[in-house]
Amino acid sequence: MQLTAPATPRTQPRTRDADGMAVASFILGLLGLLVLNLFLGPISIALAAVALWRGTTRKGRAYLGLFLGVADLAVLGIAMAVSNTISWSL
């Protein structure tokens, strides 16, 4: 007779964490378009990448967070090029 542990879904907390990361990535990427692009852009990209790697069910939000994180850095680069400074302000 073989004894096995009952089958429990171990992916539930991991997927839920990944879903939270996808949403956080989207929100931080969106916020980063206005303030702190240098910090929020890379954080948004990292959170989106980890959420996608962990298999989030909110892939759309993760991809939007990834896109917005890249857009944050692009906006920063364009604003710095236009103003000929290391930083920019509204």
Side-chain angles (χ1 to χ4, degrees):
M1 184 162 123
Q2 182 179 4
L3 296 175
T4 59
T8 57
R10 296 183 57 96
T11 59
Q12 179 66 19
R14 186 174 184 181
T15 303
R16 199 169 86 192
D17 289 344
D19 290 347
M21 286 184 206
V23 172
S25 170
F26 171 71
I27 291 171
L28 290 177
L30 198 58
L31 184 62
L33 288 174
L34 299 174
V35 295
L36 298 173
N37 340 44
L38 185 61
F39 300 108
L40 295 181
I43 291 171
S44 177
I45 292 169
L47 283 174
V50 170
L52 289 169
W53 180 70
R54 287 189 176 183
T56 182
T57 58
R58 297 181 177 184
K59 290 188 188 300
R61 294 238 173 108
Y63 282 121
L64 277 173
L66 186 64
F67 172 76
L68 288 170
V70 171
D72 290 348
L73 297 177
V75 165
L76 178 64
I78 291 169
M80 285 172 35
V82 168
S83 66
N84 292 325
T85 62
I86 296 175
S87 64
W88 70 281
S89 62
L90 293 174

